[in-house]
Amino acid sequence: MDSIIEVQRQTHEEVEHLERALYTVLAKPQSTHQLRLQNEHKASQLLDRIRSRVVTLNNLYEDQDTRKAEIDSISAPARQDDLSAFYERLGKITEHHTKYPDSDVGGFELELAAFLDDDQELEDEEFEQDDPVALLFSGEEGYGKYLDLYANHTTYNNLKHIAKRLAYLQYLDVLLAAQSQPVHQELPKECKLHRDYELYVRALHAYLISFMKRSQPLIDVETQQREAEEQFVKYWESGDTEEWVQLQQPKASENGDSGGIWCAACQKMYSKQTVYDAHLSSKKHIKAAQKQATTDAPPANPNGPPAAGGAHQNGESSQGTAKDKHRTAALFTHLCTQLLRELAPALNETKSNVERRFSLTAREREQELLEQSKKPPPPTKTPANGEAAEEEEEEERIYNPLKLPLGWDGKPIPYWLYKLHGLGVEYRCEICSDHVYMGRKNFERHFQESRHAFGMRALGLPNTKHFHEITRIEDALALAEKLKREGRTEIFEQETMEELEDEEGNVYNRKTYEDLKKQGLI
């Protein structure tokens, strides 16, 4: 059995090594989101180990009896030449090392070094190992960047008494509204008091807690939840909880009953007056009435309204019962509100990501999934010489303050060439949906391109040389009218410009050829 003093010394040493390892992990460069999250999870594991060591050390210090006995045993004996205790301990140590000859002395240090250097050991490209942090998240969560609330959204839309079913983006807006007010204030009261809402808000709270621990491992979520629960207890005891109270007041009829006519003699409720009047002449009622006359007081209606003296007390008890019935739903609603306020940046990122994915095509989504499945390149090691690194960065950075177009070599073209070709002059074409062409050469070339031809076809005009240099729709229509007035209608009569030949070698224009063919003459 180890000495308690030695165990304390060893525990102090382990805590010091773990603190140094924690500093090493937190000092690593965090260039990407993946590296930052991996370092945070490692730091969280180190903090858990430090906490367990500190708890063990505190228990050892509180065990004063064992500690005092150990100190007395290693103190100087009454006789100075009595070394029996020393040789007894030496025998135990020798026996231990004889039994375990291959035990490592610095096993804890080797384990800690392997824990810190696992990234360097896995740099071989042929060897692939699953990232334990990536396995914590689903594909929709994107390594902890986004929230996966599709299941909660489906449950929300299936709630009882819901006023309006929302799309996923609208559901995210509802959760974002928790920054200024309690979550789900848009739901009607009868919906929030239903059992389905309690189950829904429980599931939402469980997911938010899980995501918070996985995406932000260094945050003490449990302490925050305990503080939020204490705030809720004060709020609940204050009595300002009218939205969670459901009072069911009985509807009194004209004769004072809760829902029909009560016959005290027959001990029976009748729903209609006619049925009640008809049973008065029956033998059963007459016999029951005679029996009731001999008793002091008729029995009360068990399902009727309470007596006047206890109405106030029963009302308060029913109100308290209804209030306590929905306390769990109110508690989880309050806790979810606190979590959503902490996760506001992740919610905004989730909304932006959903909007971006809605605008992608199926092929673009497949390409994005392929890119995400690829292993990210390892971080580049910084060279020992800082000046060489600065020179490489300067070479990679392109200096282009005038926003000049790039040449074939990937560098900006000379400014004199830019001015020579007139690339700084803008030419706008209204027929091409106000597209801007930079430079005269690009502007002249675009009249034979598909964009301009489509614009002319949309106006019902041919894209011929007569409309060259015409960029305004009004000018193009005016020129077409002018050409018609001048009798130059051949540009609009395409059927008269194309010539066809029959089997005998006779040449006709398209219109004449089609007319003869319809008549069967060709």
Side-chain angles (χ1 to χ4, degrees):
M1 181 178 178
D2 292 337
S3 169
I4 187 173
I5 304 297
E6 174 61 22
V7 173
Q8 288 177 344
R9 186 207 61 79
Q10 185 178 0
T11 308
H12 275 292
E13 183 182 1
E14 291 179 358
V15 169
E16 185 176 353
H17 281 296
L18 290 172
E19 289 177 349
R20 291 180 181 177
L22 179 62
Y23 170 77
T24 303
V25 169
L26 294 178
K28 286 183 179 180
Q30 303 176 1
S31 56
T32 61
H33 173 76
Q34 287 80 358
L35 291 177
R36 180 188 64 81
L37 200 56
Q38 291 172 5
N39 290 342
E40 288 185 358
H41 274 275
K42 282 187 177 182
S44 177
Q45 295 176 17
L46 291 173
L47 286 173
D48 292 339
R49 297 173 71 173
I50 291 175
R51 186 183 298 109
S52 64
R53 297 296 195 282
V54 170
V55 171
T56 303
L57 196 59
N58 185 45
N59 294 334
L60 291 175
Y61 276 110
E62 290 180 353
D63 191 3
Q64 295 294 335
D65 297 336
T66 307
R67 181 178 172 84
K68 186 176 183 302
E70 180 69 20
I71 294 176
D72 293 340
S73 65
I74 62 177
S75 300
R79 294 176 55 187
Q80 297 296 331
D81 56 347
D82 187 7
L83 300 178
S84 59
F86 170 77
Y87 284 110
E88 182 182 357
R89 289 177 178 270
L90 180 61
K92 290 182 179 180
I93 294 174
T94 305
E95 181 183 358
H96 173 79
H97 285 283
T98 304
K99 189 176 181 180
Y100 304 101
D102 298 330
S103 61
D104 296 330
V105 179
F108 176 77
E109 296 179 3
L110 295 176
E111 177 190 356
L112 196 59
F115 177 77
L116 294 177
D117 299 337
D118 57 352
D119 292 339
Q120 285 76 9
E121 295 176 357
L122 299 177
E123 288 184 355
D124 188 5
E125 296 181 358
E126 297 181 358
F127 179 75
E128 293 185 1
Q129 182 177 357
D130 291 335
D131 184 7
V133 180
L135 297 177
L136 298 175
F137 301 98
S138 64
E140 190 68 28
E141 289 174 338
Y143 214 97
K145 290 183 180 179
Y146 316 114
L147 289 154
D148 186 5
L149 295 167
Y150 284 98
N152 303 98
H153 169 243
T154 304
T155 309
Y156 174 87
N157 282 336
N158 292 330
L159 290 176
K160 299 291 185 181
H161 310 294
I162 188 172
K164 179 183 179 183
R165 289 178 171 81
L166 304 177
Y168 189 61
L169 281 175
Q170 295 174 336
Y171 178 70
L172 294 178
D173 290 331
V174 167
L175 297 182
L176 283 171
Q179 310 305 315
S180 57
Q181 61 183 1
V183 69
H184 293 319
Q185 288 291 104
E186 78 285 352
L187 292 178
K189 184 176 180 180
E190 57 271 15
C191 179
K192 298 177 71 174
L193 297 181
H194 200 272
R195 173 66 176 172
D196 290 348
Y197 175 79
E198 181 180 343
L199 298 177
Y200 157 74
V201 78
R202 275 179 180 270
L204 178 62
H205 175 263
Y207 174 75
L208 294 178
I209 283 285
S210 172
F211 182 81
M212 192 90 169
K213 291 180 178 179
R214 289 179 287 128
S215 62
Q216 301 178 12
L218 296 181
I219 294 180
D220 192 359
V221 185
E222 302 296 337
T223 302
Q224 293 182 355
Q225 288 293 286
R226 284 195 296 270
E227 294 176 355
E229 189 169 354
E230 291 175 0
Q231 295 176 2
F232 171 78
V233 171
K234 295 179 182 178
Y235 158 75
W236 192 260
E237 292 177 353
S238 65
D240 189 15
T241 56
E242 296 181 358
E243 58 177 339
W244 298 103
V245 177
Q246 181 180 10
L247 291 178
Q248 297 181 353
Q249 299 292 345
K251 297 181 180 179
S253 59
E254 295 179 358
N255 52 13
D257 293 333
S258 59
I261 305 173
W262 172 256
C263 180
C266 300
Q267 292 290 303
K268 190 176 180 180
M269 179 72 69
Y270 295 91
S271 59
K272 296 182 179 180
Q273 183 68 31
T274 55
V275 179
Y276 175 78
D277 295 340
H279 102 284
L280 294 176
S281 58
S282 63
K283 295 181 179 180
K284 183 179 179 181
H285 174 76
I286 296 173
K287 186 176 180 180
Q290 292 175 355
K291 184 179 180 180
Q292 181 185 357
T294 59
T295 60
D296 296 336
N301 181 6
N303 298 322
H312 181 69
Q313 182 178 359
N314 293 338
E316 289 183 351
S317 62
S318 62
Q319 182 176 358
T321 304
K323 177 181 175 182
D324 295 336
K325 178 182 178 181
H326 305 291
R327 186 181 187 279
T328 305
L331 172 61
F332 282 103
T333 302
H334 182 77
L335 296 180
C336 287
T337 303
Q338 299 297 326
L339 288 173
L340 290 171
R341 290 174 181 174
E342 295 292 334
L343 294 172
L347 271 175
N348 288 317
E349 291 291 335
T350 304
K351 182 181 177 182
S352 302
N353 182 54
V354 172
E355 291 175 346
R356 180 186 62 82
R357 291 182 61 186
F358 281 166
S359 63
L360 297 179
T361 61
R363 183 177 181 82
E364 290 173 342
R365 293 178 183 176
E366 294 177 358
Q367 187 67 22
E368 183 179 3
L369 291 176
L370 291 176
E371 292 177 357
Q372 292 178 357
S373 62
K374 294 180 181 178
K375 186 177 180 180
T380 57
K381 297 182 179 180
T382 56
N385 189 3
E387 296 180 357
E390 293 179 359
E391 291 179 1
E392 292 180 0
E393 291 180 359
E394 290 180 358
E395 291 179 0
E396 294 177 358
R397 189 186 305 114
I398 298 176
Y399 182 71
N400 189 11
L402 298 178
K403 307 297 181 182
L404 301 176
L406 303 181
W408 60 271
D409 56 352
K411 296 182 180 180
I413 64 175
Y415 185 69
W416 63 267
L417 187 61
Y418 175 79
K419 296 292 288 184
L420 177 65
H421 289 285
L423 297 179
V425 183
E426 296 182 356
Y427 294 90
R428 188 181 301 274
C429 181
E430 187 179 353
I431 299 176
C432 298
S433 302
D434 286 338
H435 189 77
V436 177
Y437 299 91
M438 303 301 295
R440 181 69 186 177
K441 187 176 181 180
N442 294 332
F443 175 69
E444 291 180 352
R445 189 191 301 123
H446 99 278
F447 287 104
Q448 305 302 325
E449 294 178 352
S450 59
R451 183 193 298 270
H452 191 82
F454 177 79
M456 294 294 291
R457 190 161 55 251
L459 296 175
L461 302 176
N463 190 21
T464 59
K465 62 179 181 179
H466 302 86
F467 297 92
H468 194 71
E469 298 286 341
I470 302 297
T471 59
R472 297 180 57 191
I473 297 177
E474 183 180 354
D475 296 342
L477 296 176
L479 179 59
E481 293 295 331
K482 181 180 179 181
L483 293 176
K484 283 184 179 180
R485 287 196 304 269
E486 291 179 357
R488 303 178 64 180
T489 58
E490 66 276 5
I491 63 173
F492 301 100
E493 298 176 357
Q494 298 292 337
E495 65 274 7
T496 61
M497 297 176 63
E498 186 176 1
E499 294 181 345
L500 302 176
E501 184 177 357
D502 61 1
E503 296 177 354
E504 298 178 357
N506 301 317
V507 179
Y508 308 96
N509 57 40
R510 172 175 287 278
K511 184 177 181 181
T512 305
Y513 179 83
E514 291 179 353
D515 291 342
L516 294 175
K517 190 174 182 179
K518 289 178 181 179
Q519 297 175 10
L521 301 178
I522 297 180

PDB file of all heavy atoms in Angstrom, residues 382-406:
ATOM      1  N   THR A 382       5.370  27.008 -40.096  1.00  0.00           N
ATOM      2  CA  THR A 382       6.036  28.304 -40.253  1.00  0.00           C
ATOM      3  C   THR A 382       7.537  28.091 -40.317  1.00  0.00           C
ATOM      4  O   THR A 382       8.123  27.351 -39.520  1.00  0.00           O
ATOM      5  CB  THR A 382       5.707  29.202 -39.059  1.00  0.00           C
ATOM      6  OG1 THR A 382       6.077  28.511 -37.856  1.00  0.00           O
ATOM      7  CG2 THR A 382       4.225  29.492 -39.018  1.00  0.00           C
ATOM      8  N   PRO A 383       8.232  28.670 -41.284  1.00  0.00           N
ATOM      9  CA  PRO A 383       9.681  28.487 -41.382  1.00  0.00           C
ATOM     10  C   PRO A 383      10.397  29.147 -40.227  1.00  0.00           C
ATOM     11  O   PRO A 383       9.880  30.046 -39.568  1.00  0.00           O
ATOM     12  CB  PRO A 383      10.019  29.141 -42.731  1.00  0.00           C
ATOM     13  CG  PRO A 383       8.926  30.114 -42.967  1.00  0.00           C
ATOM     14  CD  PRO A 383       7.704  29.524 -42.350  1.00  0.00           C
ATOM     15  N   ALA A 384      11.624  28.654 -40.030  1.00  0.00           N
ATOM     16  CA  ALA A 384      12.412  29.206 -38.919  1.00  0.00           C
ATOM     17  C   ALA A 384      12.781  30.646 -39.180  1.00  0.00           C
ATOM     18  O   ALA A 384      12.863  31.467 -38.272  1.00  0.00           O
ATOM     19  CB  ALA A 384      13.662  28.353 -38.702  1.00  0.00           C
ATOM     20  N   ASN A 385      13.047  30.969 -40.430  1.00  0.00           N
ATOM     21  CA  ASN A 385      13.433  32.334 -40.778  1.00  0.00           C
ATOM     22  C   ASN A 385      12.185  33.160 -41.026  1.00  0.00           C
ATOM     23  O   ASN A 385      11.429  32.893 -41.961  1.00  0.00           O
ATOM     24  CB  ASN A 385      14.334  32.312 -42.024  1.00  0.00           C
ATOM     25  CG  ASN A 385      14.936  33.677 -42.290  1.00  0.00           C
ATOM     26  OD1 ASN A 385      14.726  34.607 -41.513  1.00  0.00           O
ATOM     27  ND2 ASN A 385      15.686  33.788 -43.372  1.00  0.00           N
ATOM     28  N   GLY A 386      11.940  34.144 -40.204  1.00  0.00           N
ATOM     29  CA  GLY A 386      10.742  34.962 -40.353  1.00  0.00           C
ATOM     30  C   GLY A 386      10.776  35.843 -41.581  1.00  0.00           C
ATOM     31  O   GLY A 386       9.750  36.124 -42.200  1.00  0.00           O
ATOM     32  N   GLU A 387      11.957  36.294 -41.994  1.00  0.00           N
ATOM     33  CA  GLU A 387      12.049  37.163 -43.166  1.00  0.00           C
ATOM     34  C   GLU A 387      11.682  36.405 -44.434  1.00  0.00           C
ATOM     35  O   GLU A 387      11.037  36.949 -45.339  1.00  0.00           O
ATOM     36  CB  GLU A 387      13.470  37.713 -43.272  1.00  0.00           C
ATOM     37  CG  GLU A 387      13.858  38.616 -42.090  1.00  0.00           C
ATOM     38  CD  GLU A 387      15.269  39.144 -42.249  1.00  0.00           C
ATOM     39  OE1 GLU A 387      15.919  38.754 -43.242  1.00  0.00           O
ATOM     40  OE2 GLU A 387      15.705  39.924 -41.381  1.00  0.00           O
ATOM     41  N   ALA A 388      12.097  35.129 -44.537  1.00  0.00           N
ATOM     42  CA  ALA A 388      11.740  34.342 -45.720  1.00  0.00           C
ATOM     43  C   ALA A 388      10.234  34.166 -45.830  1.00  0.00           C
ATOM     44  O   ALA A 388       9.664  34.231 -46.917  1.00  0.00           O
ATOM     45  CB  ALA A 388      12.431  32.977 -45.658  1.00  0.00           C
ATOM     46  N   ALA A 389       9.576  33.973 -44.692  1.00  0.00           N
ATOM     47  CA  ALA A 389       8.116  33.824 -44.710  1.00  0.00           C
ATOM     48  C   ALA A 389       7.446  35.114 -45.175  1.00  0.00           C
ATOM     49  O   ALA A 389       6.474  35.085 -45.936  1.00  0.00           O
ATOM     50  CB  ALA A 389       7.621  33.438 -43.323  1.00  0.00           C
ATOM     51  N   GLU A 390       7.944  36.260 -44.728  1.00  0.00           N
ATOM     52  CA  GLU A 390       7.368  37.535 -45.153  1.00  0.00           C
ATOM     53  C   GLU A 390       7.552  37.752 -46.657  1.00  0.00           C
ATOM     54  O   GLU A 390       6.665  38.268 -47.338  1.00  0.00           O
ATOM     55  CB  GLU A 390       7.998  38.669 -44.365  1.00  0.00           C
ATOM     56  CG  GLU A 390       7.640  38.654 -42.878  1.00  0.00           C
ATOM     57  CD  GLU A 390       8.297  39.793 -42.124  1.00  0.00           C
ATOM     58  OE1 GLU A 390       9.035  40.565 -42.793  1.00  0.00           O
ATOM     59  OE2 GLU A 390       8.078  39.921 -40.913  1.00  0.00           O
ATOM     60  N   GLU A 391       8.715  37.341 -47.201  1.00  0.00           N
ATOM     61  CA  GLU A 391       8.943  37.495 -48.639  1.00  0.00           C
ATOM     62  C   GLU A 391       7.985  36.626 -49.445  1.00  0.00           C
ATOM     63  O   GLU A 391       7.470  37.054 -50.491  1.00  0.00           O
ATOM     64  CB  GLU A 391      10.392  37.133 -48.959  1.00  0.00           C
ATOM     65  CG  GLU A 391      11.409  38.146 -48.409  1.00  0.00           C
ATOM     66  CD  GLU A 391      12.824  37.735 -48.727  1.00  0.00           C
ATOM     67  OE1 GLU A 391      12.989  36.674 -49.383  1.00  0.00           O
ATOM     68  OE2 GLU A 391      13.758  38.472 -48.347  1.00  0.00           O
ATOM     69  N   GLU A 392       7.732  35.397 -48.970  1.00  0.00           N
ATOM     70  CA  GLU A 392       6.791  34.539 -49.690  1.00  0.00           C
ATOM     71  C   GLU A 392       5.381  35.111 -49.669  1.00  0.00           C
ATOM     72  O   GLU A 392       4.653  35.063 -50.667  1.00  0.00           O
ATOM     73  CB  GLU A 392       6.789  33.143 -49.055  1.00  0.00           C
ATOM     74  CG  GLU A 392       8.090  32.390 -49.272  1.00  0.00           C
ATOM     75  CD  GLU A 392       8.058  31.020 -48.641  1.00  0.00           C
ATOM     76  OE1 GLU A 392       7.003  30.704 -48.045  1.00  0.00           O
ATOM     77  OE2 GLU A 392       9.052  30.286 -48.732  1.00  0.00           O
ATOM     78  N   GLU A 393       4.979  35.698 -48.566  1.00  0.00           N
ATOM     79  CA  GLU A 393       3.647  36.305 -48.492  1.00  0.00           C
ATOM     80  C   GLU A 393       3.545  37.496 -49.431  1.00  0.00           C
ATOM     81  O   GLU A 393       2.512  37.714 -50.062  1.00  0.00           O
ATOM     82  CB  GLU A 393       3.349  36.718 -47.054  1.00  0.00           C
ATOM     83  CG  GLU A 393       3.155  35.543 -46.109  1.00  0.00           C
ATOM     84  CD  GLU A 393       2.854  35.994 -44.703  1.00  0.00           C
ATOM     85  OE1 GLU A 393       2.818  37.230 -44.490  1.00  0.00           O
ATOM     86  OE2 GLU A 393       2.663  35.137 -43.821  1.00  0.00           O
ATOM     87  N   GLU A 394       4.611  38.281 -49.530  1.00  0.00           N
ATOM     88  CA  GLU A 394       4.585  39.435 -50.430  1.00  0.00           C
ATOM     89  C   GLU A 394       4.500  38.992 -51.883  1.00  0.00           C
ATOM     90  O   GLU A 394       3.853  39.634 -52.715  1.00  0.00           O
ATOM     91  CB  GLU A 394       5.824  40.288 -50.200  1.00  0.00           C
ATOM     92  CG  GLU A 394       5.808  41.017 -48.852  1.00  0.00           C
ATOM     93  CD  GLU A 394       7.056  41.851 -48.664  1.00  0.00           C
ATOM     94  OE1 GLU A 394       7.920  41.812 -49.573  1.00  0.00           O
ATOM     95  OE2 GLU A 394       7.171  42.524 -47.624  1.00  0.00           O
ATOM     96  N   GLU A 395       5.178  37.853 -52.225  1.00  0.00           N
ATOM     97  CA  GLU A 395       5.102  37.368 -53.597  1.00  0.00           C
ATOM     98  C   GLU A 395       3.715  36.848 -53.929  1.00  0.00           C
ATOM     99  O   GLU A 395       3.227  37.019 -55.051  1.00  0.00           O
ATOM    100  CB  GLU A 395       6.143  36.266 -53.797  1.00  0.00           C
ATOM    101  CG  GLU A 395       7.588  36.783 -53.759  1.00  0.00           C
ATOM    102  CD  GLU A 395       8.586  35.662 -53.945  1.00  0.00           C
ATOM    103  OE1 GLU A 395       8.121  34.503 -54.091  1.00  0.00           O
ATOM    104  OE2 GLU A 395       9.792  35.928 -53.951  1.00  0.00           O
ATOM    105  N   GLU A 396       3.065  36.188 -52.967  1.00  0.00           N
ATOM    106  CA  GLU A 396       1.723  35.663 -53.226  1.00  0.00           C
ATOM    107  C   GLU A 396       0.689  36.772 -53.317  1.00  0.00           C
ATOM    108  O   GLU A 396      -0.274  36.669 -54.059  1.00  0.00           O
ATOM    109  CB  GLU A 396       1.340  34.683 -52.112  1.00  0.00           C
ATOM    110  CG  GLU A 396       2.195  33.423 -52.106  1.00  0.00           C
ATOM    111  CD  GLU A 396       1.837  32.511 -50.966  1.00  0.00           C
ATOM    112  OE1 GLU A 396       0.941  32.913 -50.176  1.00  0.00           O
ATOM    113  OE2 GLU A 396       2.418  31.417 -50.850  1.00  0.00           O
ATOM    114  N   ARG A 397       0.867  37.859 -52.599  1.00  0.00           N
ATOM    115  CA  ARG A 397      -0.098  38.950 -52.612  1.00  0.00           C
ATOM    116  C   ARG A 397       0.108  39.805 -53.862  1.00  0.00           C
ATOM    117  O   ARG A 397       1.217  40.256 -54.156  1.00  0.00           O
ATOM    118  CB  ARG A 397       0.064  39.806 -51.357  1.00  0.00           C
ATOM    119  CG  ARG A 397      -1.048  40.819 -51.188  1.00  0.00           C
ATOM    120  CD  ARG A 397      -0.787  41.739 -50.009  1.00  0.00           C
ATOM    121  NE  ARG A 397      -0.566  40.990 -48.778  1.00  0.00           N
ATOM    122  CZ  ARG A 397       0.581  40.974 -48.138  1.00  0.00           C
ATOM    123  NH1 ARG A 397       1.626  41.642 -48.601  1.00  0.00           N
ATOM    124  NH2 ARG A 397       0.717  40.278 -47.012  1.00  0.00           N
ATOM    125  N   ILE A 398      -0.945  40.018 -54.628  1.00  0.00           N
ATOM    126  CA  ILE A 398      -0.881  40.796 -55.870  1.00  0.00           C
ATOM    127  C   ILE A 398      -1.258  42.240 -55.567  1.00  0.00           C
ATOM    128  O   ILE A 398      -2.322  42.502 -55.003  1.00  0.00           O
ATOM    129  CB  ILE A 398      -1.825  40.201 -56.939  1.00  0.00           C
ATOM    130  CG1 ILE A 398      -1.385  38.778 -57.277  1.00  0.00           C
ATOM    131  CG2 ILE A 398      -1.847  41.070 -58.179  1.00  0.00           C
ATOM    132  CD1 ILE A 398      -2.307  38.075 -58.248  1.00  0.00           C
ATOM    133  N   TYR A 399      -0.401  43.152 -55.943  1.00  0.00           N
ATOM    134  CA  TYR A 399      -0.649  44.574 -55.722  1.00  0.00           C
ATOM    135  C   TYR A 399      -1.377  45.124 -56.946  1.00  0.00           C
ATOM    136  O   TYR A 399      -0.804  45.241 -58.034  1.00  0.00           O
ATOM    137  CB  TYR A 399       0.679  45.301 -55.503  1.00  0.00           C
ATOM    138  CG  TYR A 399       0.520  46.783 -55.216  1.00  0.00           C
ATOM    139  CD1 TYR A 399      -0.007  47.226 -54.007  1.00  0.00           C
ATOM    140  CD2 TYR A 399       0.879  47.742 -56.166  1.00  0.00           C
ATOM    141  CE1 TYR A 399      -0.161  48.553 -53.741  1.00  0.00           C
ATOM    142  CE2 TYR A 399       0.732  49.087 -55.915  1.00  0.00           C
ATOM    143  CZ  TYR A 399       0.212  49.492 -54.697  1.00  0.00           C
ATOM    144  OH  TYR A 399       0.055  50.827 -54.439  1.00  0.00           O
ATOM    145  N   ASN A 400      -2.646  45.450 -56.790  1.00  0.00           N
ATOM    146  CA  ASN A 400      -3.465  45.926 -57.902  1.00  0.00           C
ATOM    147  C   ASN A 400      -4.423  46.995 -57.400  1.00  0.00           C
ATOM    148  O   ASN A 400      -5.625  46.773 -57.287  1.00  0.00           O
ATOM    149  CB  ASN A 400      -4.230  44.749 -58.514  1.00  0.00           C
ATOM    150  CG  ASN A 400      -4.933  45.123 -59.802  1.00  0.00           C
ATOM    151  OD1 ASN A 400      -4.700  46.196 -60.371  1.00  0.00           O
ATOM    152  ND2 ASN A 400      -5.806  44.256 -60.278  1.00  0.00           N
ATOM    153  N   PRO A 401      -3.912  48.190 -57.074  1.00  0.00           N
ATOM    154  CA  PRO A 401      -4.798  49.228 -56.537  1.00  0.00           C
ATOM    155  C   PRO A 401      -5.761  49.804 -57.572  1.00  0.00           C
ATOM    156  O   PRO A 401      -6.813  50.318 -57.214  1.00  0.00           O
ATOM    157  CB  PRO A 401      -3.818  50.293 -56.028  1.00  0.00           C
ATOM    158  CG  PRO A 401      -2.606  50.121 -56.886  1.00  0.00           C
ATOM    159  CD  PRO A 401      -2.511  48.654 -57.166  1.00  0.00           C
ATOM    160  N   LEU A 402      -5.419  49.761 -58.893  1.00  0.00           N
ATOM    161  CA  LEU A 402      -6.265  50.341 -59.939  1.00  0.00           C
ATOM    162  C   LEU A 402      -7.290  49.356 -60.485  1.00  0.00           C
ATOM    163  O   LEU A 402      -8.045  49.710 -61.399  1.00  0.00           O
ATOM    164  CB  LEU A 402      -5.393  50.845 -61.094  1.00  0.00           C
ATOM    165  CG  LEU A 402      -4.389  51.957 -60.740  1.00  0.00           C
ATOM    166  CD1 LEU A 402      -3.578  52.323 -61.956  1.00  0.00           C
ATOM    167  CD2 LEU A 402      -5.106  53.185 -60.190  1.00  0.00           C
ATOM    168  N   LYS A 403      -7.333  48.140 -59.927  1.00  0.00           N
ATOM    169  CA  LYS A 403      -8.294  47.125 -60.355  1.00  0.00           C
ATOM    170  C   LYS A 403      -8.150  46.821 -61.845  1.00  0.00           C
ATOM    171  O   LYS A 403      -9.132  46.726 -62.596  1.00  0.00           O
ATOM    172  CB  LYS A 403      -9.735  47.552 -60.055  1.00  0.00           C
ATOM    173  CG  LYS A 403      -9.987  47.966 -58.612  1.00  0.00           C
ATOM    174  CD  LYS A 403      -9.765  46.831 -57.650  1.00  0.00           C
ATOM    175  CE  LYS A 403     -10.052  47.254 -56.220  1.00  0.00           C
ATOM    176  NZ  LYS A 403      -9.790  46.164 -55.250  1.00  0.00           N
ATOM    177  N   LEU A 404      -6.905  46.668 -62.310  1.00  0.00           N
ATOM    178  CA  LEU A 404      -6.653  46.368 -63.712  1.00  0.00           C
ATOM    179  C   LEU A 404      -6.963  44.910 -63.998  1.00  0.00           C
ATOM    180  O   LEU A 404      -6.775  44.041 -63.131  1.00  0.00           O
ATOM    181  CB  LEU A 404      -5.200  46.660 -64.057  1.00  0.00           C
ATOM    182  CG  LEU A 404      -4.722  48.111 -63.843  1.00  0.00           C
ATOM    183  CD1 LEU A 404      -3.247  48.225 -64.144  1.00  0.00           C
ATOM    184  CD2 LEU A 404      -5.518  49.067 -64.701  1.00  0.00           C
ATOM    185  N   PRO A 405      -7.403  44.581 -65.215  1.00  0.00           N
ATOM    186  CA  PRO A 405      -7.651  43.175 -65.549  1.00  0.00           C
ATOM    187  C   PRO A 405      -6.345  42.386 -65.575  1.00  0.00           C
ATOM    188  O   PRO A 405      -5.273  42.929 -65.836  1.00  0.00           O
ATOM    189  CB  PRO A 405      -8.316  43.247 -66.925  1.00  0.00           C
ATOM    190  CG  PRO A 405      -7.940  44.574 -67.478  1.00  0.00           C
ATOM    191  CD  PRO A 405      -7.787  45.493 -66.308  1.00  0.00           C
ATOM    192  N   LEU A 406      -6.479  41.076 -65.286  1.00  0.00           N
ATOM    193  CA  LEU A 406      -5.302  40.210 -65.237  1.00  0.00           C
ATOM    194  C   LEU A 406      -4.956  39.699 -66.618  1.00  0.00           C
ATOM    195  O   LEU A 406      -5.830  39.445 -67.458  1.00  0.00           O
ATOM    196  CB  LEU A 406      -5.551  39.042 -64.293  1.00  0.00           C
ATOM    197  CG  LEU A 406      -5.924  39.401 -62.855  1.00  0.00           C
ATOM    198  CD1 LEU A 406      -6.126  38.142 -62.022  1.00  0.00           C
ATOM    199  CD2 LEU A 406      -4.881  40.297 -62.223  1.00  0.00           C
TER     200      LEU A 406
END
